[in-house]
Amino acid sequence: MSSCSYTLFASLCLTLLLLLSIQCATASNIGQGYRLISTEKTSDGGLLGHLQVKQKNNVYGADISLLQLYVKQETQNRLRVHITDATKQRWEVPYNLLPREKAPLKKQAIGRLTKNPLKVQEFSGSKLLFSYTADPFSFAVTRKSNGQTLFNSSSSGSNDFGEMVFKDQYLEISTQLPKDASLYGLGENTQPHGIKLYPGDPYTLYTTDASAINLNTDLYGSHPMYLDLRNVDGKAYAHAVLLLNSNGMDVFYRGTSLTYKVIGGVLDFYFFSGPTPLDVVEQYTDLIGRPAPMPYWAFGFHQCRWGYHNLSVVEDVVENYKKAQIPLDVIWNDDDHMDGKKDFTLNPTNYPRDKLVPFLEKIHSIGMKYVVLIDPGIAVNSSYGVHQRGIANDVFIKYEGEPYLAQVWPGAVNFPDFLNPKAVDWWGDEIRRFHELVPVNGLWIDMNEASNFCSGLCKIPRGKKCPTGTGPGWICCLDCKNITKTRWDDPPYKINASGQQVPIGYKTIATSAVHYNGVLEYDAHSLYGFSQTIATHKGLQGIQGKRPFILTRSTYVGSGKYAAHWTGDNQGTWENLKYSISTMLNFGIFGVPMVGSDICGFYPQPTEEICNRWIEVGAFYPFSRDHANYYSPSQELYIWDSVAESARNALGMRYKLLPYLYTLNYEAHISGAPIARPLFFSFPDYTDCYGVSTQFLLGSSLMVSPVLEQGKSEVTALFPPGTWYSMFDMTQAIESEGKYVTLDAPLHVINVHLYQNTILPMQQGGMLSKVARMTPFSLIVTFPAGASNGEAKGTLFLDDDELVEMKLGNGYSTYVHFYASVNHRTVKVWSEVEDGKFASDNGWTIEKITVLGLGGSGHPTNLEIDGEPVTTASKTEISNLAHKYLHNLDDKKTSVMVEVKGLDIPVGKNFAMSWKMGLSL
Ligand SMILES: *[C@@H]1O[C@H](CO)[C@@H](O)[C@H](O)[C@H]1NC(C)=O
Ligand SMILES: *[C@@H]1O[C@H](CO)[C@@H](O)[C@H](O)[C@H]1NC(C)=O
Ligand SMILES: *[C@@H]1O[C@H](CO)[C@@H](O)[C@H](O)[C@H]1NC(C)=O
Ligand SMILES: *[C@@H]1O[C@H](CO)[C@@H](O)[C@H](O)[C@H]1NC(C)=O
Ligand SMILES: *[C@@H]1O[C@H](CO)[C@@H](O)[C@H](O)[C@H]1NC(C)=O
């Protein structure tokens, strides 16, 4: 079965295909490809061409005879290649959900056919070059600066893949890849081999409620994007490729090639030229939307579980955190607060409004927040206003003209169609009504893949009692028939849905169900959670007038513009702790930087040791939340004394770092830069870190190196070249040429190191972000250890986090650039402040400046602030301590840490400080 190329034996082959569709599909050439028959320049500077199928066959349906090719250099560093049916409009990701330049509509007549198009043509932008071969048609994208081929769909000379295929329900295209390219992305997927895509592992993209414990499986989100990092003679070049398509797809990565097999839509490629990984996410989020600004409190610690039976349990949890002196900003409810698990309701017995509202007033008064869950499925219940108003407004997805019936937690439900503008308005109105009932501070949208406990076409059974929101109720109780009658329910090519090639309508909305304007669920399936996220964002913005906070399980390209994400249902095991790092880092690349995993695992419960290690990692997730299943025993951080101690250490550090995390949130919002990053983002030239999946960076220079194995009290971590300082004891330095260093890591210790040339803004921490953010600042300045010359810099963003927009220039924000230098023995630290009024109005001051890595062993003298000598009469104290080296390249080298404290420097004004280091004795 090695070849099914179109031959005289095509019909035999087709029969075999039907019998053995899988084997044949992965190893064969399905068609002879297309021939380019015309090209012309468009008025907007693009290139328009037509492609004619070379030889039709019926494998997976008939080929589309004539295609339109449109190529556009959209920006200096972004190239688009769009291929669709030349005569018929096809499904594309809706332009209102993901705003972007329109591709030209199909042309009625094909003018100016060039009979003999050139064999090789080029179409050049400033960074990327598009070239093609006419017959059979293939295209390539080249980096102009070094001539490297980034993408090449030509199958000539390849045994791995065949020519481009374009049928109604089967699109196939491939690229060659150099074998030393490192690829990242293509999620959502739990990747047992770490963050780097692994040749031979399957990557299927189709939003599915398959728990995150399933490896190499299509999970909750769909992100058909990969970042490709290559090293050419020691220098790194990164670029990214997005195939903007919402239909289900299998992606086969073989190491030297990659093939997309997509079951609908169009081939809409975007190429981003990089060349650094940070450039790539900047360019990517420029297209898909910059990450949402998060409120300050979102960076605090969150506690949740399914099974907080009543309000007094929630009150106890809050109280116990306080008693244990563990920071807590946000308390959550899963669905326990609901009446019969119905959205936007309160359980009158366990969460009575007259008790819940005073509780919320109490926690809100100290700055704590409250977030609850909602699901998209709206209970079918004649006494339930939300459903009644939904019916009245005709907001639900339809099957044969009736609202499509499914089963989720409350029992029988209908699913709102968020592609329908009326449904978006109705949803916003329900959020407003709920907010009047319960002043929640954010919403958690779950089960939005969409998850369904049944499959197919269902009816409410007669004479059988189904769960109505009490009891487990995840076993389908409706009377259902599988739907196999349409080609949407049973497409000719089967993606590896749920990792088991189940029918694509399995346990979700039937794929022949219909949305607004006749859109098929088949096409829009993976956009369901994304469309709900946009509607929820609109609703929250409308009523609160405040920056919305949304946590969503299902995501698509562009979700990060509206919401945070957690990695779904995981287990309290060492493996799951490890996997959480790769998934988190991938979401940073996907433009969803506010991400974390359920700390200590969702189900089953962790051991005490795992929970210790997990909070040590989780304290440094951008989104830090402990969450557990109904059937798990309690795992709040105070349950075990040892976990409480680890939590105080790790979260204590997080709360001191909040100004840094919040500044990273601002950077993410203006440039897409991930908050948590793989090491290669800061050290792209250093190939040893390309596969590191057990450590990560926060921003560019804070590195977290956790223990991820049982029984260990040491961790061996990679230190890219340069000097690194321990955040828990700043006298400790590691000078690395780029090697693995073994660090002590007893149970309560998490290793966090700060890289050279950085200025890190910190505050004094506390039990609540609102309190912590009003404490005095300190600055940590790092130089390469012992250097007599060096520079460092850092930034700090402060704003009123209630405001919807996060930006400068509105009178409610301040941005500070910090700089430092050491030149021979003169040390300088200074700031340049933009829009200082907000910081000045809040009275923020810098109390301490700590400079690490100064050469020699001398004492500081001649301290000056803004040109004035600091006298001994002032309360300023200056001291120095020698660094201890865990790893030292030059044994004789000495260096000191200098700390200047008792300062009272306004954050909102420029300052300059200097001193001289005395000669070493
Ligand atoms: C694309 O691949 C084909 C076949 O290997 C090769 O002939 C062609 O030169 C490549 N094009 C580019 C731009 O690398
Ligand atoms: C709340 O639930 C807990 C645990 O189920 C139970 O022990 C307690 O009696 C309940 N309290 C109230 C006020 O219902
Ligand atoms: C409708 O909701 C009410 C209130 O929660 C509940 O008592 C009733 O059982 C529900 N009816 C159905 C048919 O689910
Ligand atoms: C419906 O399809 C699912 C998935 O293929 C299968 O497990 C189930 O048995 C089918 N149900 C019926 C009633 O045929
Ligand atoms: C489908 O995915 C599962 C889980 O990764 C994998 O074991 C299986 O080999 C895949 N099947 C195919 C046909 O790709």
Side-chain angles (χ1 to χ4, degrees):
M1 288 305 299
S2 64
S3 169
C4 276
S5 55
Y6 193 84
T7 65
L8 289 174
F9 301 107
S11 60
L12 169 65
C13 189
L14 178 58
T15 314
L16 286 172
L17 257 171
L18 294 172
L19 294 171
L20 289 160
S21 63
I22 311 318
Q23 272 84 349
C24 194
T26 38
S28 73
N29 297 348
I30 294 182
Q32 305 284 300
Y34 284 77
R35 176 188 300 125
L36 185 69
I37 54 167
S38 76
T39 55
E40 60 184 294
K41 285 270 165 74
T42 60
S43 54
D44 65 354
L47 181 78
L48 196 64
H50 288 94
L51 304 167
Q52 197 171 51
V53 71
K54 293 190 66 168
Q55 204 155 24
K56 282 196 171 193
N57 68 45
N58 278 312
V59 182
Y60 302 139
D63 297 275
I64 293 176
S65 311
L66 193 65
L67 302 177
Q68 172 184 281
L69 163 74
Y70 173 68
V71 185
K72 174 107 191 275
Q73 300 279 357
E74 289 191 335
T75 69
Q76 298 253 311
N77 34 45
R78 181 170 88 223
L79 168 75
R80 183 183 193 184
V81 178
H82 182 275
I83 303 173
T84 186
D85 189 332
T87 59
K88 206 165 133 264
Q89 188 71 36
R90 286 181 64 79
W91 166 256
E92 301 191 23
V93 174
Y95 284 81
N96 63 337
L97 287 190
L98 193 74
R100 60 200 190 277
E101 280 184 40
K102 292 230 158 66
L105 294 174
K106 58 177 166 82
K107 284 210 146 182
Q108 294 310 321
I110 304 144
R112 279 188 280 154
L113 284 191
T114 319
K115 278 236 175 65
N116 296 306
L118 292 172
K119 273 249 166 62
V120 178
Q121 266 278 5
E122 289 187 352
F123 180 58
S124 171
S126 61
K127 300 281 164 56
L128 297 173
L129 190 121
F130 171 88
S131 62
Y132 60 79
T133 305
D135 188 7
F137 171 75
S138 72
F139 73 91
V141 178
T142 308
R143 183 185 297 287
K144 259 176 98 172
S145 68
N146 63 2
Q148 197 171 45
T149 305
L150 307 184
F151 192 96
N152 187 350
S153 71
S154 169
S155 76
S156 94
S158 164
N159 301 318
D160 278 351
F161 61 87
E163 299 299 335
M164 182 177 99
V165 182
F166 205 122
K167 297 163 187 263
D168 192 27
Q169 287 185 279
Y170 184 80
L171 286 66
E172 180 183 319
I173 190 165
S174 307
T175 179
Q176 309 169 13
L177 288 169
K179 67 174 180 308
D180 59 352
S182 297
L183 267 56
Y184 310 85
L186 297 178
E188 183 173 8
N189 193 314
T190 302
Q191 298 178 181
H193 294 106
I195 185 174
K196 234 169 99 163
L197 300 190
Y198 194 77
D201 275 356
Y203 297 91
T204 296
L205 275 53
Y206 190 68
T207 62
T208 307
D209 176 12
S211 107
I213 65 176
N214 293 294
L215 310 179
N216 298 318
T217 303
D218 46 324
L219 299 183
Y220 315 104
S222 170
H223 295 270
M225 177 271 198
Y226 68 84
L227 182 154
D228 177 337
L229 178 63
R230 302 178 189 179
N231 197 292
V232 185
D233 303 327
K235 178 138 181 41
Y237 294 88
H239 69 275
V241 179
L242 164 67
L243 172 56
L244 187 61
N245 179 302
S246 63
N247 290 81
M249 66 178 85
D250 285 333
V251 187
F252 297 90
Y253 171 52
R254 302 176 200 86
T256 52
S257 67
L258 184 145
T259 297
Y260 299 90
K261 298 187 177 183
V262 194
I263 60 172
V266 299
L267 296 177
D268 193 3
F269 283 101
Y270 290 87
F271 299 90
F272 306 89
S273 66
T276 69
L278 272 179
D279 292 338
V280 166
V281 285
E282 201 274 326
Q283 294 152 9
Y284 184 55
T285 55
D286 181 43
L287 175 73
I288 67 164
R290 300 284 193 218
M294 290 286 152
Y296 206 86
W297 54 264
F299 290 93
F301 182 70
H302 303 248
Q303 177 63 51
C304 184
R305 83 162 290 158
W306 175 26
Y308 286 147
H309 178 66
N310 56 35
L311 181 60
S312 43
V313 177
V314 171
E315 288 173 321
D316 286 350
V317 171
V318 172
E319 193 53 34
N320 286 332
Y321 265 92
K322 199 171 148 193
K323 274 199 207 127
Q325 290 288 292
I326 301 169
L328 178 67
D329 260 72
V330 192
I331 185 78
W332 293 54
N333 267 123
D334 199 300
D335 62 11
D336 303 288
H337 64 286
M338 295 179 185
D339 179 24
K341 302 199 171 27
K342 292 199 285 298
D343 279 355
F344 306 123
T345 63
L346 285 180
N347 183 307
T349 317
N350 296 325
Y351 286 84
R353 183 170 189 266
D354 62 353
K355 296 230 168 59
L356 180 60
V357 170
F359 167 72
L360 295 182
E361 278 167 6
K362 191 176 124 199
I363 66 167
H364 284 161
S365 72
I366 59 165
M368 274 188 73
K369 306 290 175 184
Y370 180 59
V371 176
V372 300
L373 172 131
I374 46 176
D375 289 338
I378 301 298
V380 175
N381 183 321
S382 55
S383 62
Y384 176 38
V386 180
H387 187 259
Q388 288 170 340
R389 290 184 291 272
I391 292 287
N393 286 289
D394 194 19
V395 303
F396 297 113
I397 293 173
K398 299 277 178 54
Y399 202 89
E400 289 170 349
E402 294 295 315
Y404 178 74
L405 194 72
Q407 181 189 327
V408 200
W409 301 114
V413 300
N414 296 139
F415 286 116
D417 174 11
F418 298 103
L419 299 182
N420 181 344
K422 270 202 314 199
V424 174
D425 290 347
W426 159 83
W427 186 250
D429 188 54
E430 297 302 338
I431 290 175
R432 182 189 56 75
R433 288 167 185 267
F434 181 56
H435 196 264
E436 277 170 16
L437 188 71
V438 190
V440 292
N441 303 97
L443 289 171
W444 171 18
I445 50 179
D446 193 14
M447 307 292 278
N448 50 359
E449 293 72 28
S451 180
N452 181 358
F453 300 154
C454 301
S455 306
L457 191 57
C458 306
K459 287 194 302 229
I460 294 176
R462 288 178 184 277
K464 180 163 135 199
K465 188 112 179 65
C466 276
T468 53
T470 50
W474 59 77
I475 293 152
C476 180
C477 173
L478 305 176
D479 268 349
C480 302
K481 288 189 307 232
N482 284 338
I483 314 174
T484 50
K485 60 187 169 200
T486 78
R487 61 199 183 97
W488 315 119
D489 302 298
D490 192 15
Y493 175 79
K494 285 184 182 30
I495 58 166
N496 195 2
S498 300
Q500 300 172 48
Q501 294 200 310
V502 298
I504 52 172
Y506 181 67
K507 292 202 164 189
T508 186
I509 298 165
T511 42
S512 49
V514 184
H515 291 252
Y516 180 68
N517 250 346
V519 167
L520 282 167
E521 168 68 10
Y522 180 82
D523 292 317
H525 170 86
S526 290
L527 300 175
Y528 192 69
F530 181 43
S531 63
Q532 188 198 14
T533 305
I534 296 175
T536 307
H537 189 265
K538 198 169 172 222
L540 279 177
Q541 227 174 18
I543 43 144
Q544 290 185 308
K546 285 182 186 169
R547 192 171 296 173
F549 175 81
I550 299 167
L551 182 72
T552 181
R553 193 167 74 183
S554 185
T555 58
Y556 186 71
V557 175
S559 286
K561 183 176 173 187
Y562 308 96
H565 174 64
W566 93 107
T567 65
D569 298 351
N570 58 0
Q571 288 177 315
T573 63
W574 293 101
E575 287 74 25
N576 279 259
L577 169 58
K578 216 172 290 166
Y579 303 152
S580 75
I581 297 177
S582 296
T583 309
M584 164 182 77
L585 296 176
N586 266 329
F587 270 88
I589 295 170
F590 297 149
V592 191
M594 190 62 169
V595 56
S597 292
D598 284 351
I599 292 170
C600 297
F602 182 65
Y603 184 81
Q605 79 275 26
T607 62
E608 180 173 346
E609 185 187 1
I610 293 176
C611 201
N612 269 278
R613 293 310 191 182
W614 208 315
I615 185 57
E616 290 169 359
V617 181
F620 300 95
Y621 291 156
F623 172 64
S624 183
R625 186 184 71 156
D626 180 330
H627 178 44
N629 186 293
Y630 189 89
Y631 301 93
S632 300
S634 290
Q635 62 181 40
E636 287 78 14
L637 301 177
Y638 53 76
I639 295 287
W640 290 287
D641 287 343
S642 71
V643 175
E645 187 177 340
S646 295
R648 281 188 294 267
N649 285 342
L651 287 174
M653 179 57 75
R654 181 187 182 90
Y655 273 62
K656 291 178 188 166
L657 289 169
L658 286 174
Y660 180 63
L661 286 170
Y662 196 64
T663 302
L664 292 176
N665 178 212
Y666 176 67
E667 279 180 19
H669 180 56
I670 59 168
S671 74
I675 297 172
R677 304 176 190 169
L679 269 51
F680 68 76
F681 267 67
S682 286
F683 305 94
D685 295 341
Y686 179 54
T687 49
D688 286 11
C689 68
Y690 287 10
V692 173
S693 310
T694 51
Q695 296 170 254
F696 58 94
L697 295 166
L698 288 176
S700 58
S701 22
L702 198 66
M703 184 166 72
V704 182
S705 308
V707 172
L708 303 169
E709 283 165 83
Q710 189 186 345
K712 291 281 160 68
S713 54
E714 286 182 342
V715 61
T716 300
L718 183 65
F719 282 78
T723 312
W724 297 85
Y725 298 93
S726 165
M727 286 298 293
F728 287 91
D729 175 359
M730 291 180 191
T731 63
Q732 289 204 20
I734 291 170
E735 241 195 316
S736 176
E737 294 168 293
K739 51 173 73 168
Y740 280 90
V741 176
T742 298
L743 307 163
D744 278 343
L747 191 61
H748 302 306
V749 170
I750 170 75
N751 279 282
V752 183
H753 288 83
L754 183 64
Y755 193 55
Q756 65 191 26
N757 310 330
T758 305
I759 302 181
L760 182 75
M762 292 177 77
Q763 281 169 293
Q764 292 177 354
M767 293 296 117
L768 260 174
S769 68
K770 187 181 172 179
V771 175
R773 89 173 297 202
M774 293 320 294
T775 59
F777 280 84
S778 56
L779 301 179
I780 316 299
V781 180
T782 59
F783 292 120
S788 60
N789 283 296
E791 286 177 355
K793 60 185 178 187
T795 54
L796 171 65
F797 179 82
L798 298 158
D799 78 345
D800 178 346
D801 70 328
E802 303 256 275
L803 295 179
V804 170
E805 284 187 288
M806 185 185 231
K807 62 175 187 189
L808 284 173
N810 59 4
Y812 295 95
S813 54
T814 294
Y815 197 48
V816 188
H817 303 260
F818 294 111
Y819 301 94
S821 68
V822 55
N823 201 330
H824 297 291
R825 294 200 306 280
T826 303
V827 180
K828 289 186 182 154
V829 184
W830 70 99
S831 73
E832 283 170 19
V833 180
E834 285 182 61
D835 300 342
K837 182 171 181 301
F838 178 71
S840 299
D841 289 351
N842 277 278
W844 277 305
T845 59
I846 298 165
E847 191 267 336
K848 187 166 85 176
I849 294 178
T850 306
V851 180
L852 308 183
L854 294 168
S857 58
H859 283 264
T861 60
N862 301 65
L863 177 66
E864 289 185 0
I865 298 176
D866 295 331
E868 299 289 322
V870 176
T871 64
T872 44
S874 80
K875 62 185 170 79
T876 306
E877 288 172 41
I878 186 158
S879 59
N880 67 340
L881 267 174
H883 281 297
K884 300 185 283 285
Y885 286 88
L886 181 58
H887 191 79
N888 193 344
L889 299 180
D890 169 5
D891 283 344
K892 284 183 290 275
K893 187 186 284 180
T894 56
S895 63
V896 294
M897 157 176 135
V898 170
E899 196 168 85
V900 187
K901 58 183 184 191
L903 297 168
D904 192 18
I905 299 173
V907 171
K909 291 212 175 92
N910 292 351
F911 78 91
M913 175 190 241
S914 66
W915 69 79
K916 287 204 171 352
M917 294 304 291
L919 286 174
S920 308
L921 299 176

